[in-house]
């Protein structure tokens, strides 16, 4: 592993390279974003129906979509980095999957009501806020978070969008409190800030530990088994070559016990086998040629045993973890009312269905070369994991952009600050589109970091990282642990890198620093932004 990999400048994998058709994709997505921005602005003006705040609303629309754009470039890119880096998906395929599942997650499970962040990490109830001051705080928070995310994305640093928007809100609220004399440091819930600090350490440690365990098991019992099986196939050819001078029955007595057993078992089943990788013509006599073919077939069938036994079990376990993440996190906003027992039954059914399906699929790959079969089966597993991640991300993390914006929209519409605000469907769709456009235009550098900068990725290691991250996110959500999904996935990527002894700790140093400064930098920009916005619109 080259420790000098610069994720911000080197897009080494073919999947990340731009091709001659990219200009048309640029034009297409630029056009889609322009049309969406125009139509959504027109809709917002009619929805609010207050001409006195037209310029404020238009600025809020731009800032909200700008934030969603940068979430797509950083957070969504982070989610698909392992799939693209492993060669499972091209950037365009990842884009299409994200387009379907991110937007679907936002629309289907994004929630019809959101918290207005009025009494979250900053207690805005502690000060006597004018409704428009609240609007300016939210606008400045979006500005601070979006600018920092854009900078981090351009540097190829995957950072927490949640910490970014929290920092923006803290900075803008504190500045408003200080300048108006209505509040100060006591507005901030420092215990919540402490939880964020804990997440800087806890999230990557949990992600890395469980990815290290999972990929270590995969490497030992599946990939390691496959390597031994391939080596055994080559050893057979070597053994057969040594028997060239031996004639007929005497030769049978001198071949290994394993070859004799394979020969007897194969002959008793009266099967004929054909091998493509090893050349049977290299054997002198028809007798040994047949022994050669029989032994190789026996080994070939045995070599696929790990794919037919362990991989379906692993896939079933992964399906249960992913379905749990979807039920307890991705679909949580729908309030489906399913009992715990019902959720367990759903997860069990999904696990059994996946186990049977992957077993059948693995058996259908017996004629494939072992390495090719392994790549195919893990690539498919990784695609499903990435799609589930995208849906869950669209359902939850889009709130980092749409939450403050909808709070602004609600204040401009009602001229009062409420505890909750309705999330209109056009807002969910438009912000979902902005996520995808951001992934296309600025997401490549973060994908490069996650996909090959921190460690070299393959479908098996990428699947292990995604599954471990999903498991930790789901468990932490249920237990209420202060974690960041971004930090968890980065830790998981490093975990598989540690198994392969190829983790790029040099690149991790600036990323870790970026995690630490995310909140204060977003706060600083938000503080300056609220002064500028107040001066412009007051």
């Amino acid at each position: 592993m080259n420790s000098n990999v610069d994720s911000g400048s080197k897009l080494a994998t073919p999947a990340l390279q731009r091709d001659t058709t990219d200009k048309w994709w640029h034009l297409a997505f630029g056009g889609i974003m322009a049309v969406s921005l125009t139509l959504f602005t027109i809709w917002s003006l009619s929805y609010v129906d207050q001409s006195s705040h037209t310029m404020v609303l238009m600025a809020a629309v731009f800032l909200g979509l700008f934030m969603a754009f940068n979430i797509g470039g950083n957070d969504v890119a982070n989610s698909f980095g392992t799939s693209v880096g492993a060669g499972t998906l091209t950037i365009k395929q990842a884009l299409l999957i994200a387009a379907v599942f991110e937007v679907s997650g936002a629309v289907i499970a994004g929630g019809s009501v959101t918290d207005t962040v009025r009494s979250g990490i900053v207690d805005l109830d502690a000060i006597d806020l004018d409704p428009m001051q609240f609007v300016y705080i939210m606008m400045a928070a979006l500005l601070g978070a979006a600018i920092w995310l854009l900078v981090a994305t351009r540097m190829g640093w995957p950072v927490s969008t949640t910490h970014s928007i929290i920092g923006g809100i803290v900075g803008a609220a504190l500045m408003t409190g200080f300048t108006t004399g209505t509040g100060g440091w006591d507005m901030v819930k420092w215990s919540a800030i402490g939880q964020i600090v804990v997440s800087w350490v806890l999230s990557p440690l949990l992600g890395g530990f469980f990815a290290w365990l999972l990929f270590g098991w995969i490497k030992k019992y599946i990939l390691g088994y496959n390597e031994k099986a391939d080596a055994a196939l080559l050893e057979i050819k070597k053994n057969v070559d040594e028997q060239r001078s031996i004639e007929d029955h005497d030769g049978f007595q001198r071949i290994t016990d394993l070859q004799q057993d394979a020969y007897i078992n194969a002959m008793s089943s009266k099967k004929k086998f054909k091998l493509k990788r090893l050349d049977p013509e290299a054997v002198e006599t028809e007798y040994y040629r047949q022994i050669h073919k029989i032994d190789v077939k026996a080994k070939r069938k045995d070599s696929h045993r790990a794919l037919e036994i362990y991989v379906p079990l692993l896939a079933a376990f992964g399906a249960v973890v992913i379905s749990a993440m979807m039920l307890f996190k991705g679909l949580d906003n729908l309030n489906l009312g399913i009992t715990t027992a019902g959720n367990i039954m759903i997860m069990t059914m999904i696990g059994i269905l996946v186990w049977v399906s992957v077993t059948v699929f693995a058996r259908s790959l017996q004629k494939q070369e072992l390495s090719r079969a392994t790549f195919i089966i893990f690539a498919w597993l990784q695609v499903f994991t990435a799609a589930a991640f995208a849906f869950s991300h669209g359902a939850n993390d889009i709130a980092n952009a749409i939450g403050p914006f909808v709070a602004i929209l609600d204040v401009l519409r009602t001229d009062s600050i409420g505890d909750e605000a309705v999330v209109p469907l056009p807002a969910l769709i438009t912000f979902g589109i902005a996520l995808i456009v951001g992934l296309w235009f600025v997401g490549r550098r973060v994908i490069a970091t996650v996909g090959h900068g921190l460690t070299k990725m393959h479908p098996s290691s990428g699947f292990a990282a995604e599954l471990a991250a999903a498991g930790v996110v789901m468990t932490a959500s249920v237990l209420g642990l202060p974690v960041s999904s971004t930090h968890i996935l980065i830790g998981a990527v490093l975990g598989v890198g540690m198994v392969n002894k190829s983790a790029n700790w040099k690149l991790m140093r600036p990323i870790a620093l970026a995690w630490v400064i995310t909140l204060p930098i977003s706060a600083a920009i938000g503080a300056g932004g609220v002064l500028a916005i107040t001066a412009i619109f007051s």
Side-chain angles (χ1 to χ4, degrees), residues 131-177:
M132 288 310 296
Q133 286 180 318
F134 177 81
V135 168
Y136 299 152
I137 289 173
M138 293 298 108
M139 291 175 66
L142 289 171
L143 177 65
I147 289 178
W148 166 242
L149 283 176
L150 181 60
V151 171
T153 301
R154 294 298 296 172
M155 296 300 295
W157 299 334
V159 297
S160 171
T161 56
T162 302
H163 295 176
S164 299
I165 194 65
I166 287 174
I169 293 173
V170 168
L174 283 176
M175 181 59 71
T176 300

Side-chain angles (χ1 to χ4, degrees), residues 277-347:
R277 283 186 63 185
L278 302 181
D279 182 13
E281 298 305 322
V283 187
E284 289 186 2
T285 69
E286 181 63 23
Y287 181 82
Y288 291 112
R289 190 175 297 122
Q290 294 305 316
I291 291 179
H292 171 77
K293 292 179 180 180
I294 290 168
D295 281 348
V296 171
K297 179 59 183 181
K299 270 294 183 182
R300 173 177 285 274
K301 185 173 182 179
D302 188 60
S303 69
H304 281 70
R305 187 174 301 278
L307 293 185
E308 294 180 19
I309 295 177
Y310 293 130
V311 172
L313 291 174
L314 178 65
F317 169 73
V320 170
V321 171
I322 294 297
S323 59
M325 183 184 72
M326 297 288 286
L327 290 169
F328 292 109
K329 185 173 174 66
L331 299 175
D332 183 59
N333 294 327
L334 292 182
N335 299 315
L336 297 176
I338 303 175
T339 64
T340 301
N343 284 331
I344 292 174
M345 288 299 297
I346 291 173
M347 290 186 291

Side-chain angles (χ1 to χ4, degrees), residues 266-267 269-275 290 293-294 297:
M267 290 302 293
S269 63
K270 297 182 179 179
K271 291 183 179 179
K272 294 182 180 179
F273 305 114
K274 182 178 179 181
L275 177 67
Q290 294 305 316
K293 292 179 180 180
I294 290 168
K297 179 59 183 181

